[in-house]
Amino acid sequence: MAETVIMVTGSTGLVGHGIKLALEEDKKPNEKWIFLSSKDADLRDREATELLFEKYKPTHVVHLAARVGGLFNNMEHNCYFYRVNCQINDVVLDLCKEYKVQKVVSCLSTCIFPDKTTYPIDETMVHNGPPHLSNYGYSFAKRMIDVVNRVYNQQHGCHFTSIIPCNVFGPHDNFKLKEGHVLPGLIHKAYLAERDDQPFVIWGTGKPLRQFIYSVDLGRLIIWVLREYPEIEPIILAVDEEDEISISDAGELVVKAFGYQGEIVHDISKSDGQFKKTASNAKLRKYLPDFKFTPTKQAIEETVDWFKINYETARK
Ligand code: NAP
Ligand code: GFB
């Protein structure tokens, strides 16, 4: 059987590690996986990136590489997030066409959907109105991936598709307090609160609602999308709607995982961002009705354990 060469861009981050972990239980003999980081090439540099396509001649690409950040990072750097992600995506996707890559899976995000919308959100709604102002730049850069997928398919017959994950968390996340997402931020703050006997601070009111998917679960689903999902249309990869929790619930689960007994405060001077972005995984459930997500409580406990063990080397 011909060898499948799968190149994963941006593989040294949170989602890339989720794929690596998922692969440990699901390797296929005819698949060769190439995991890239920015050390292999800055994917905004077409010449340097083309050398990687020349070297590896991938038959499939999982395109994760992106400038990614939480609410506060996006609010401060909307232009940067727009430009860098557009540059990366244009280089990678056009080279996938040039090198006749058989299938490409890229990443959107549930935060890019219209801010004014009906719920639950589904895959048909990506372009139905402006995204939340907090991450305007990132959202439009990501929406353009869906446009690029369609025009490359229409004009060149490329099989480019995309996934739309909800909020992801897990080991190897970005735990930097100003840059990262909420769960790694809360885990880092709980660690410091316990170590330095200081209050545990949740930013905002804690009322916003989020769906959180564990990185290894997302890794399992990305491998399935790469191997089996036949459509060009994006597919939402989110936990069930009833597993949506509030930011305060998430804080409680983090505190319990640490066994922290100290004071919990809300800093309401900080923005809440989007109140909710509840996404339906009905399309995924049609394909994989029996997929089991790791319970959020267990996933947070495992991530807290990982963070404690790897505190010295974690991105923080
Ligand atoms: P991450 O941990 O920040 O990893 C991002 C990866 O992209 C890193 O490996 C980074 O390499 C690489 N990268 C960034 N800029 C690059 C450049 N110019 N050239 C080459 N590589 C570059 O992010 P993540 O959370 O794993 O996100 C992976 C994908 O999932 C992204 O497309 C993101 O939009 C999507 N997603 C994430 C979430 C979430 O909640 N985290 C939710 C929905 C969708 P270095 O580390 O070497 O810089
Ligand atoms: O994950 P997050 O930063 O981004 O979550 P979004 C922001 C929500 O968590 C706000 C509250 O309601 C914050 O007030 N929060 C509480 C915290 N404590 C913290 C903390 O320590 N750190 C952070 N970051 N928030 C992002 C998009 O939206 O979703 C990105 O901006 C990305 O583009 C990501 O797509 C998946 O979930 O609001």
Side-chain angles (χ1 to χ4, degrees), residues 229-249:
Y229 178 63
E231 301 179 36
I232 303 291
E233 296 292 319
I235 182 166
I236 288 171
L237 302 181
V239 296
D240 298 330
E241 292 158 59
E242 54 269 27
D243 291 331
E244 182 179 57
I245 59 174
S246 73
I247 299 297
S248 291
D249 297 339

Side-chain angles (χ1 to χ4, degrees), residues 8-27 33-37 40 64 172 215-216 218-220 222-223:
V8 184
T9 72
S11 72
T12 51
L14 168 68
V15 177
H17 276 93
I19 293 175
K20 288 172 190 165
L21 200 54
L23 269 178
E24 281 173 19
E25 67 199 21
D26 187 7
K27 266 207 177 346
W33 289 75
I34 314 279
F35 292 105
L36 299 181
S37 88
D40 298 291
L64 304 178
H172 303 277
S215 52
V216 66
L218 180 59
R220 291 182 185 119
I222 290 174
I223 292 166

Side-chain angles (χ1 to χ4, degrees), residues 71 109 111 135 138 167 180-182 189 203 210 271-272 277:
L71 167 66
S109 166
C111 72
N135 64 342
Y138 174 84
N167 286 49
H181 291 103
V182 55
K189 289 191 284 189
W203 291 339
R210 294 291 183 271
S271 165
D272 268 352
K277 42 186 170 176

